[in-house]
Each structure stands twice: as structure tokens, then as C-alpha cells.
Amino acid sequence: MNKRVKFIAKYKVSTLVALGTLLIASSAFAATHLNTLSNSKGDVVYEQKKFEDSVIPGNTKEKQIRSLKAYGLGQDLLQPDQAAAIYMAGDNSEGELHIVRGSGFGFSDAASLRNELKGSGAHIFDKLQDKYDFVGSSLRYSPNELTDQERSVLTDQLAEEARDSQQEYAMELLDVSKEAWSMIATYKGEGQTILVQPIRTNEKVTVHLAEESPAETIMVDGSEMLYSTYESGSQGIRFIYNIPNSDFHINYYIEATKGVAKDDLLTIAKAYLQKSSD
């Protein structure tokens, strides 16, 4: 394996939804029209855009296969807390650089997760609304941002290595900071399921959606939220928690199954807006 060990600093946070695939948030969210959310400084830190072919130029079947292979390599070769740049070579001059992460850390109890994220500004509740119990979570740390120049240089280096190798790929580990992460925490109770999906970042998250449908903009304790309902009867809400004295914020998305009342979902969201005591 062409595995390089030099650490590269910086990786731009971006979330791309294409062909119905959403890696961080739920696939149910792939039916909402353009909306934005801002942080306390007024900067747009979350935006939805309708997916267009120009987002992924020349998005061929071969590119999609290489992307899936890169993701699989990340799961197979990386430790839970690692991230890497993987160049997947194609025929002739074809090929792409992919940023991939390890499988992430699993937590079966809220206390362990709370200890892991102590000082991050995140709320980790043992229960939601005194009726939904924490049952598990998966936490993945993000690599730091790559500048355009760093990404270009890295692409050229790894492309040459990938084409010279029999495996047709080359990998270099990236510097991973615990400042930025994403997570999915699952809560269950009364036959219902609630997924809490926060992203801690200092970058804007852009989501490209395949279809459009309206989302309701509501205000909760002075914070703007995007509320959506889906054909399945489930519902979701997204909002920004501004971490005091930090350039980072937490982008929360919470999805609940059909039997959860809207007022309960809003009350849960409100709890995540409170200042963390850790």
C-alpha cells in the first residue's frame, strides 16, 4: 500500500448530497427547498441548494464507483480517529482526490460520550423529555481544512503515486483535530426514535438536495430553526447553537419518528440551545 505518513493541515468542511445520499444528516432531509441559517455574527453557516449536475462535473458511473471505493478504503484502513486523502486513479488521466474518515467511535452510554466531548459546548443528555433514553452514538472527528494550494499539490503527488501502483490508489494521512466533529446519537422510548445529529465546525455547511419542498422557519428562544415534515410522518428540525467565546458553532439536526409530538420536538431543540455547563 502506498501509505504516506506526512500530516497535512487543513480541510474545508463541506457536506454534499447527491443521488439521494446524505452521509451526516438523514436521507429524509433530501426534500427541502433552499434555506439558510446564520450564526450569532450574522454569517450564513448552513445553506441548502438544489442539486444540479454542475455541482459534480462529469459525474460518471466510474467516478461514483471510485468514490464508493475510497469510502470503503477509509473504513478498512483507517483507525476510528484518523482521516486521509485518497487518490483513486482511473483510466488514462482520470481520477479524483477523496477526503475520507475512519469509522468513528461508538458509545453505548451518555456519560462516556459526555466525558469525550467535555469542553466542546455540546449537550449530551441521558434522557430527552424524560421519556427517550440514550441508546448509543457514533462520533467522527474531522480533518483540518486544506487550502486550495495544499489540495492541488497533494492531488498531484498522490495521482502520480496511484498511477504507479498496482492498487491504483495512494493515501496520505491528514491532521485531525478534536475541534471539529460530527455525530449521530440515538434516543428511544415509548416506541419512538429520535436521532440527534450535531456537526461542530467553524465552516459553512452546504447541502445539495435532489428535490424541493417547503420547510417552515420558526423562532425558538430567539433562534431561527428550520422545521420539516416528511411523507413517512417523521419530522426534523435544524438550528445553530453558537458556542460562547468560540469561533466554532454546532449545527444541530434532530429527527423524530411519527409518534413524537411537534411541541415535544421543539422543547427538545430548546434544551440544546442552553449554554453548556462543562
Side-chain angles (χ1 to χ4, degrees):
M1 177 181 68
N2 270 339
K3 179 178 178 182
R4 299 166 59 92
V5 295
K6 177 183 176 184
F7 285 168
I8 296 293
K10 297 192 175 182
Y11 164 65
K12 187 172 183 179
V13 174
S14 177
T15 303
L16 177 65
V17 180
L19 305 176
T21 300
L22 179 52
L23 299 182
I24 302 248
S26 164
S27 60
F29 212 21
T32 311
H33 74 79
L34 174 64
N35 283 287
T36 62
L37 291 170
S38 300
N39 61 14
S40 57
K41 298 177 182 179
D43 301 323
V44 174
V45 293
Y46 173 78
E47 65 176 351
Q48 300 167 355
K49 290 185 176 181
K50 191 175 188 310
F51 176 78
E52 297 178 357
D53 290 340
S54 59
V55 175
I56 309 178
N59 187 32
T60 62
K61 180 180 179 181
E62 288 73 19
K63 274 190 176 184
Q64 295 174 41
I65 292 173
R66 289 195 291 270
S67 178
L68 290 172
K69 286 182 177 179
Y71 176 79
L73 287 170
Q75 300 299 294
D76 293 340
L77 301 177
L78 297 177
Q79 296 299 312
D81 59 345
Q82 290 182 320
I86 298 181
Y87 188 92
M88 303 298 300
D91 295 334
N92 300 319
S93 61
E94 288 187 356
E96 303 85 32
L97 187 74
H98 301 272
I99 305 299
V100 298
R101 298 185 290 178
S103 58
F105 295 99
F107 294 85
S108 59
D109 65 278
S112 298
L113 179 59
R114 192 158 45 239
N115 184 64
E116 174 71 18
L117 295 179
K118 186 176 181 179
S120 70
H123 285 291
I124 309 298
F125 296 108
D126 295 292
K127 280 178 169 285
L128 300 177
Q129 284 290 88
D130 290 325
K131 39 184 166 178
Y132 309 109
D133 295 306
F134 179 96
V135 296
S137 70
S138 176
L139 171 70
R140 302 172 74 195
Y141 289 110
S142 301
N144 290 336
E145 180 188 359
L146 284 173
T147 65
D148 290 342
Q149 182 178 2
E150 287 172 333
R151 189 181 184 97
S152 177
V153 170
L154 187 58
T155 299
D156 291 342
Q157 291 174 349
L158 294 183
E160 183 177 354
E161 291 184 16
R163 295 192 181 100
D164 290 341
S165 74
Q166 294 182 345
Q167 298 157 316
E168 297 186 336
Y169 76 88
M171 181 175 87
E172 180 165 329
L173 292 179
L174 301 176
D175 190 14
V176 175
S177 167
K178 289 194 173 183
E179 289 288 308
W181 45 259
S182 62
M183 179 180 69
I184 298 179
T186 303
Y187 291 81
K188 290 187 177 183
E190 300 185 342
Q192 306 301 327
T193 298
I194 296 178
L195 299 178
V196 180
Q197 304 172 62
I199 305 171
R200 190 181 195 273
T201 178
N202 61 352
E203 298 287 331
K204 179 171 70 174
V205 173
T206 299
V207 177
H208 295 264
L209 306 173
E211 300 176 4
E212 295 186 33
S213 67
E216 179 185 358
T217 300
I218 57 179
M219 298 296 294
V220 175
D221 283 359
S223 294
E224 190 174 61
M225 299 186 176
L226 301 177
Y227 174 79
S228 301
T229 57
Y230 311 117
E231 291 183 2
S232 65
S234 64
Q235 55 191 316
I237 191 163
R238 185 178 293 274
F239 55 94
I240 304 299
Y241 170 68
N242 297 286
I243 303 171
N245 305 313
S246 175
D247 292 331
F248 283 76
H249 62 272
I250 300 178
N251 183 326
Y252 278 102
Y253 174 70
I254 303 175
E255 185 171 322
T257 47
K258 184 177 181 180
V260 178
K262 179 180 179 180
D263 287 344
D264 278 354
L265 183 59
L266 294 179
T267 300
I268 290 169
K270 182 177 178 179
Y272 281 98
L273 288 174
Q274 305 306 308
K275 182 178 179 180
S276 175
S277 59
D278 60 21

